[in-house]
Amino acid sequence: MTAGLSFLALLAIGAPIAFAMIATALILIVNQGNTALLQGFGQQLFAGIESYSLLSLPLFILLGELMGVGGIGRRLLVLAQALIWPVRAGLAYVNLLANLMMASILGSTVAQLTVMTRLAVPEMERAGYPRDLATTVTAAGGLLAPVLPPSMNLIVYAAIAQVPVGDLFIASVIPGLALAASFALVIGWLGWRHALPRVPSQPLPARLRAAADALPALVVPAIAIGSIIGGIATPTEAAAVASVAAIVVGGPIYGDLRPRDLPAAFVRTAVTSGAVLYLVAAAQVLAWVLTFGNLPAQAAAWVQDMAATPLMFLILLNLLLLLLGTVLEPIPAIILTAPVLLPISTGVYGIDPLAFGVILCANLALGLLSPPVGAGLFTASLLTGVRAERLSWLLMPFFAAMLAVLAGMSIVAAFQAGA
């Protein structure tokens, strides 16, 4: 109890989450009288990031940085516009399709929102869309990044759960596409309700030019994702080769990526990777101490009393994660909950660890656009000037669509487990 209150107090005063987790672990060691654990404390910190799966994380972050500054995002947006036929709310569909393409590159909602709000929102405003609605569609599309490969959330979960990253990526494709389809239905309803303008018709030569210009850009995600799904390369190898390809495409081919841009991209990659890996290391120490305190076994007994079936367990899990996601970023939430809940999910209820991981990452993605933390929500608000409260209200239909997809995923996972 003391450790839990200390953790909440540290978060309340704005302490970094990694610091709060390490401090809580130390408090637990003292309270439990297991001071011998202090001898292995540093070793456990290192063990938290001593995982081959995590090698792909900084490389995918670098890939996103290189593609963001290499002009590839802009060309994908033009391609998406060329692929959409003249329909009501056409630019909103273009936005969604471009977000779908960017999700297979960036793997981070905040990074994706930063790129897409600069590219898509001004274009939609010029076409007659209200700024708040254009920002809403862009922010909702950012929710695809944590679900589709190469999501950083999926990579962190794979490292914690000790499951193959490639298998997890493959398992996330259908749920990610289902989420995109549900968002398309919401956009169709918004187009009818707000009488949104149709996308201008483009002649066939213009469409072909856009496709030809974007072809080198499409090669990079094809290398990153295709080589993993095809079993040609590991995620780490695929990210490394795709990063080299992004330099070639953005530099010599497009001419947007200049040599002087590379040091800044490397620095941003190092800063982001360091922050994430430090969180993973801190969570490993906390999970190690909690295991000595028998918390996982106590949690398993409590959950079994509450949930008699896999479906009931997944319902309770989703409710817990929805609440947790409103106050914690997805990656800290994953590394806090997965070590405790995964053994219960697989050992007690027989739920596939890949299905559990996709549900976990998809659910916690909602927290990125939910107050009071909502990094994605406040990023979109800051970049466009639309009030966060207004965005939260307009995002409700997209939240409902995502909850429907989560319900479907949970039912399928429970059925596979023998519910």
Side-chain angles (χ1 to χ4, degrees), residues 93 96 100 144 174-188 401 405:
Y93 287 112
L96 180 64
L100 187 63
L144 298 173
I174 292 179
L177 294 178
L179 183 61
S182 71
F183 285 179
L185 293 176
V186 173
I187 288 173
V405 172

Side-chain angles (χ1 to χ4, degrees), residues 208-268:
L208 293 177
R209 282 196 300 272
D213 190 38
L215 189 59
L218 291 172
V219 169
V220 180
I223 291 174
I225 307 304
S227 60
I228 296 172
I229 295 177
I232 300 171
T234 66
T236 303
E237 295 165 347
V241 174
S243 296
V244 174
I247 293 175
V248 174
V249 171
I253 294 179
Y254 286 149
D256 291 344
L257 181 62
R258 297 158 298 185
R260 66 172 178 267
D261 296 328
L262 291 176
F266 291 148
V267 169
R268 289 193 297 269

Side-chain angles (χ1 to χ4, degrees), residues 157 313 341-354 356:
Y157 171 79
F313 166 74
L341 295 176
L342 179 62
I344 301 171
S345 172
T346 56
V348 177
Y349 297 101
I351 296 169
D352 186 273
L354 299 178
F356 176 85

